[in-house]
Each structure stands twice: as C-alpha cells, then as structure tokens.
Amino acid sequence: MRTKISSIILPTVMCCLLLLSFTSYYYIVNVIEQELADSMLNSVGKSAESINRWLETIMIEPESIASTPDAKNINNDFKKFDALNINRHKMLHTRYSDIFQDIYAANKKGVYHTVQYSQNEYSIFIGDIANRPYFLSIMAGGPTQITPPLISRTTGIPTIFIVAPIKDDDNQPQGLIGAGISLKYIQEIARALKAGKTGYGFIIARDGSYIYHPNSDLIMQAKITDHPSPSEKQLGMLMIEGKFGVYRYTFNETKMVAFYQPVPISGWSVATVLPESELLAPAIRMMRILVVITCISVIFTGCIIMFVMRRLFLPLQILATRTKEIARGNMDGEAIDVTSTDEIGILSQSFNTMTGNLKRTLEGLKKSEDNYRSIYENAIEGIMLTKFDGTILAANPAMANILGYDSAPELIKVHSQVTSFYVNPEERNELLALLLEKRVVRNYEMQIYNRDGDTIWISISCFLVLDADDTPDKIESLVTDITERKQAEKEKEELSKQLAQANKLEAVGKLAGGVAHDFNNMLFVILGHTELALLKINSKDPLYKTFKDIQNAAVHSSNLTKQLLAFARKQTSVPAVVDLNLAIENTLSLLRRLITENIRLNVTSGEAVWPIYIDPDQISQILTNLCVNARDAISGVGRIDIETHNISFDEEYCDRNIDFLPGDYVCLVVSDNGCGMDEEIRQHIFEPFFSTKEIYEGTGLGLATVYGIIKQNKGFINIYSEPGLGTTFRIYFPRYSGGKDDLKNLQDSRLEPLKPMNILLVEDDVQLLNVCKEILEGLNCRVTAINSPTEAVSYIKNETDNIDLLLTDVVMPEMTGKELASHITVVKPNIKVLFMSGYTADVIAHKGVLEAGINFIHKPFTSQSIADKIREVMNP
C-alpha cells in the first residue's frame, strides 16, 4: 500500500487540486444555495414572528378591559361603560396615536357603541353587529379574535379590530370589547421585507386580501387568489393554508423565488419575492471562477485522476460513503465489494462484518423501544418521571389527560415542578418519607389540582430510583384518577344517611297513622263527655276543676296527635282565611314549650295586617320548624324574633328578583342570633333530607316541609345568613282578596245554640254515636242517631219528615260516608252533608272527601267547633 501511494504521490497532489475544485463547485451549487434560501426564510420568519408578538401584545388591552367589573355589567349599565371607553380612547390615542384608532363595545344583543372624535368633541355612535361572524363566534364561547382587515370608516386607513369576549363570573359571554388597530406598524415591517435590487415583500390576510404590497392600488382592494397568474394563485393558496417554505415559479419568463411564513395568531402570511438570479448572484460569481480553475486542472491532471480514483481512492470513497450513511442512521445499504486482499480489502471486509452486527443490534433495540413506547403512550394510567426535588422530566398522554392538558409537552411546559399540583403540600413530604423508608409506595390516595384549578382524587404508586452513589435521584410514578370512585363513595354515604332518615320518618308515619284513628276516637269520647259534664255542673262545684283539667289534658293530647300527623305528612289540610297575627298568638304557647328557657321569644305584630288564605295548622308547622332550627343554632343565651307586616312588590322590583311576583303580600319574619350558616349550606337547606345535624338527630325535612307549604300557598321565601351573625327567614304570603266577613271563622265566639233543625247522625262506633248525639242535642238540634249506613239508607227512604243535615263518619264497615251521602241525596236532594273522621289525611283523601266543595270536620271536635261548622254548612 505504501509503495502504491509513493508511486502516485505527485499525481495525487494534482488530483487533490481537481477534487477540491469540483468539491467547491458542488458545495456552492447545493449548500450555499440552500444556506441562502434558509437565511431568507429565517429572515421572513423573524418578520412574521415580530408581527405575531406585536399582535399578542396589542390583544392584552381589549382583554384587560373585558375583564373589568364595569364590562361585565355592560348589559345593565351601557352608559357608564361608554364614559369609561371615552376616557380609554383619549388615553390610548395619547400613548399610541399611530396604533389605536377606534374602541367600541357590544352587549349580548349585538348592539355596539363606538367612540367617535370629531371637531375636538367625543361622541358615541350606536350600531348593530348581531349578524357579524365574529360576534356570533364570541357569543358561542369563542376566544379573543382578530377581524379581517378593512378601511376604517372613521380614519380611512387600513385597520384591524381585536375583539375580546366579556364574560360574567360563571364564564358565560355577555358581549365583547373591540379595539381598532392601525396597520401602519405592520406595513413598516413589510417594507423591510424587500430583498435584492428588484425584490419586494407583501402581507396577505387569511382570505387572501393584500394587507401590504408595494403596489398601493392592491392594498385592501385585491386578493392574491384573484391574480391572473396561476403561479401567484398557487403561492397565495400555500400562504392561506398557514404553511411556510420556499416556492419557485416563473413570472413573465423570469424565474422567481418566494419565501413565506405564517402569522399564527391572525391567520395572515408574510412573503418576500425576488428573482432567482439575484438570490444566487454571489454563488454564481464564485462558480465562474471555479469553473475556470477546474478546466485548467482537468486538462493537466485528467488522466492521473481517473487512474488514481479507479485504483486507489474509489474503494476508500465507497467505504467513506457507507460510513456517512451509517452515521445518518441508514443501515440498509449494500455490503462493500471486496476486490483485493490488501489493507483496503481487509478494512472493507471488517467493515461489512461490523455493519451486519450493528444492524442486528439496532433492530433489536428498536423493536424493544417500540414495544415499551407503545405501552408508555397507550397506558390507561398516568406515568410520570420526576427528579427527587420535584422537577418533571417526562409524562405520558394519560398523565396529561388526568390533569386536563392536551399533551405531555404542554403539561411539562406549564408545570416544571410537581409540587404545584399538591392541594396539601405536606402530603408530598409524607410521600417522600415513605419512599426513603421503603423505596416503594403503593396506592397512596390524595387530592391534587388539575389544569382548571379543580381538585381531583388520585391513587399514586411510586418507585425511588437511586444513582450510582445510592443517592435518591428520580421518582417513577404510576397515577390513577379515582375522582369518580370517591364521588360514588360519598354519594353512597349520603344515600345511606338519607335512607336512615327516610326509614325513621316512615316508621313515625306508620306509627302515627296506625294509632291516630283509635286515639282520636277515644279523645272524642273523653272530650265530649267532659264538655257535656262541664255544661251540667256549676263552675263553683269542686268537680268542675277536675273536669276542666281532664278537658285541657284531652285537648293537649289532640294537639299532640295533630303535630305527630303533621310531622308524618298525614295531616288533613283545610285552608281558611287567616289573621296571621292571631294565628301566631295561638301558636305561642307551643313555641315556648319547644325552645329552652335561655332563649327569649319576641313577637312584633304589624298593624292592620292583611288576611291570608292558608290552613292555620300549616302556620303552626312553619313556625314550629323555623323555631326548632333557630333553637338548635343557638348555644347559650339567645333570642328568636317573630315579626309581621304588609308589603307590596312592583314590576321593577320583581324584574330584579326573579323568584318574586308583583302584588300585595303579608311578610312573616323569623330571625335568630345563632351560629348562622355559609353560602354552601344556604344553597342546600331546602333540599329534602339535607341536614347539618348529626345522623339520627334530625330528619332533614323541616325546612323542606316549610318550603313546600309556602310554594303550595303561592308564596315565596328569602333567607339571609352569615356565619356567626345569625339567620333571618322572610316568608311572603299572598294577600287574601275576599271580604272581611270571611275572617269570622277565626274569631273566638261564645257557644250559642243552633237554630232548630233535624240532623241524621251516622257513626258505626256506638260510644262516639252517643257522645255526638248528646252534643248536638245540647245545641238545640233534633238528632236521629244510627250506627249502620244500611239502616240509614232504609230510614231515609221511609222518613217523611224533613231532614236538614246528614252528619256521617267517612270510614264505616258497610259503605263509605261518601257512598252513603250519594244514596241519601238521591232521596233527599236538598239535604246538606257534613263528613267527619278521625283517620289520617291519606286515608280520608282516598275516600274522596277532601275534594273542593265538600264539607269536612276532623275528630275530635268540640261543641263550639261543630256548631261553627254546622252554621258554615247551613249558611254558606
């Protein structure tokens, strides 16, 4: 080999000269040309980036305005916002006179107000943009946008408008803010795009319109897609598509080169165009020199070069080429032909062996990498690799998805440290301590923040990686989103609590319904006989007080039964015209028994309070539930205030309070100075089964029952409460529009005998029948008492005397009271009917006697109540 080299050393020198010339030639043609093109493309890219950054900076101004409280209130107070915009217009024109041209705002209906400046005065121009695409996009939840360029109506110069959405606190679009931006700055950048002697630069919008062009007649007047040259059109299509690159074409028999880059934020595109000859002028001059040198070298050393290349350098060149290909990662080239046994031949053979081994090794590594990459990318669980100090090194798509990001690179770009995710930073310290102790932690559950700032639950398993010095280096983590599981567990727990409360209520309801009828009947017998006895003995008789105590105890037992049925929602509802002040006064004794002695109960009754139409027992239910809640909210000494007054709401007030309706109302206010409640609790207090008390300490139905009663009676309720400041309930009942005479049902009156009348009394219980008969006879009535509905039908068919009133029990063995009434009214169509029963509301309603227009009285009743009811029935 050394002999060969020595024998051709001089020709080799000449060969090197020729090789250098040709190498330089190809370098200029292939590399310098590419370098020049890349340089031009980068230059255009920097201009596009400069425009993009400028637009991003300008967008901050309308977005800042849109986020102000006055902007969010644009739909309520546009005039105030107009005044603020005039000040902003002055300020922006003072600071950026060549940039900001217009500023305007639009509400959610599409009505826009723009600031105009003319003859040293500012005014507001009003228009409508409801059908503009960018307005529709903004109101559909779209982001800040840049409108297509146009000639400003007020300034006459090319302008764009940057529109930013106005959103309320619930992130709902309420309108937009727009700022008119002059394109002068962008046109100045475009002028700098000129290259070479005849080259020029231009900018187009996303629809192909010229934003800048050396030919001013084209600006905002023509589109590149309408150019008569197909090549120019093709260039325009590439630019509109948002691509970047180099485009070569021929225009007027001149080869042209266009370099184009997009402006991402606006969808525009920037381009520089110049003749190819001007781009390659430096390279062409050097090429001419090298051509002369090459020709001289070829003439002198041509034969030697051919000989050396064939005999010596050709195998080495092949070997070098294959080496470069391998360095670039191309392992598919053919093996080198071994044509000699000298050093070059041995080198070629060794090279072929090495290449084969390397190829097999790389194929194995690639297959293994592909397998693990597929597992990593497609894993359902999140995978994250971090430094021990919390620096995020890598994450898979599932991890990005768990945290609400579109991709892992985006996640790593936003969060460099894993510590920013922790809701409780102490949990990371605890996790690190476990890793240092065990090196592996499995299924550690904790809460973290996602991209939107919401908390989610995760289960994390970690492995500690040590470096060569056994020092903690990295942490490999496997993360599972268990938010849905945690929510399901929470819901299951809440449902269990609700089921316990429902079972408790159902048990009380069954107990109440089971004993109410028999208990009421027994109380009726006791009350009836007691009342009859009190009428027969003198008030000074020693037994009078005894009978009076028995009567009071029976009445109290009757009230307790009603309260029990009201709690179980089985109490009959009989609306009446009610004086709210009188109804409260009648309930005070019950309320004082419910609250403790350390709580003072204050009542302030309004003057001339209007009557309302409601079941008086429902007033008692409302006050009972509210006072019990107030009692439980007071620790130590406290007070409960009850107040009534009249109030009227007009249309304007109701427009601001959507739950209210115009009209006259009677307001019942119940307030306390207890512990109060926060906003989260206030949002749920009227939900069935919701309770802040410990399990088994409350049903969670008290306020739900209050809410239902109020809505049933076409009223509404308002609550104000803050932690530590007590709670105030305001309940509004519609004013009763009937006559004042209807209030007589609520007034206390002395027991007076009825006008003489004939009453047919039907009751299957003999004791009740006898007591009821005695009461009616004591009221000056002639009573025919029958304990069988069948006998009553037979009696009425054979009776010739006039019967004024049928008083019948509802539930009887042979037929119901309503069925009995149907039979009797056929024979006596003018007879009045009054039903009575001691059963619960659901049983009575099932028998059809709680319908509108049907007279009913609940047992037990007193002589006074039955007398009042009979007068009501006989004189409707």
Side-chain angles (χ1 to χ4, degrees), residues 155-215:
T155 62
I157 64 176
T159 304
I160 59 171
F161 286 89
I162 298 177
V163 291
I166 300 174
K167 295 186 177 182
D168 59 19
D169 295 335
D170 295 328
N171 205 31
Q172 297 298 315
Q174 298 297 312
L176 58 81
I177 297 296
I181 307 301
S182 169
L183 295 181
K184 287 184 177 180
Y185 175 81
I186 295 175
Q187 291 176 344
E188 290 296 327
I189 295 176
R191 290 188 181 94
L193 293 172
K194 179 179 178 182
K197 295 180 179 180
T198 61
Y200 63 93
F202 66 92
I203 303 174
I204 63 171
R206 66 172 70 239
D207 62 351
S209 301
Y210 286 101
I211 296 174
Y212 171 77
H213 195 279
N215 185 354

Side-chain angles (χ1 to χ4, degrees), residues 349-360:
Q349 182 64 47
S350 300
F351 182 83
N352 289 339
T353 302
M354 181 186 65
T355 302
N357 293 336
L358 181 60
K359 183 177 181 180
R360 287 189 294 271

Side-chain angles (χ1 to χ4, degrees), residues 236-285:
M237 295 303 296
L238 292 172
M239 295 174 69
I240 291 173
E241 290 175 1
K243 298 180 179 179
F244 68 94
V246 181
Y247 179 70
R248 301 175 187 273
Y249 64 99
T250 301
F251 180 74
N252 292 338
E253 298 182 352
T254 301
K255 291 184 178 181
M256 306 293 290
V257 183
F259 302 90
Y260 55 95
Q261 290 276 10
V263 181
I265 195 171
S266 62
W268 302 347
S269 189
V270 178
T272 294
V273 180
L274 73 162
E276 187 179 58
S277 59
E278 293 183 17
L279 175 67
L280 301 178
I284 292 174
R285 287 194 297 270

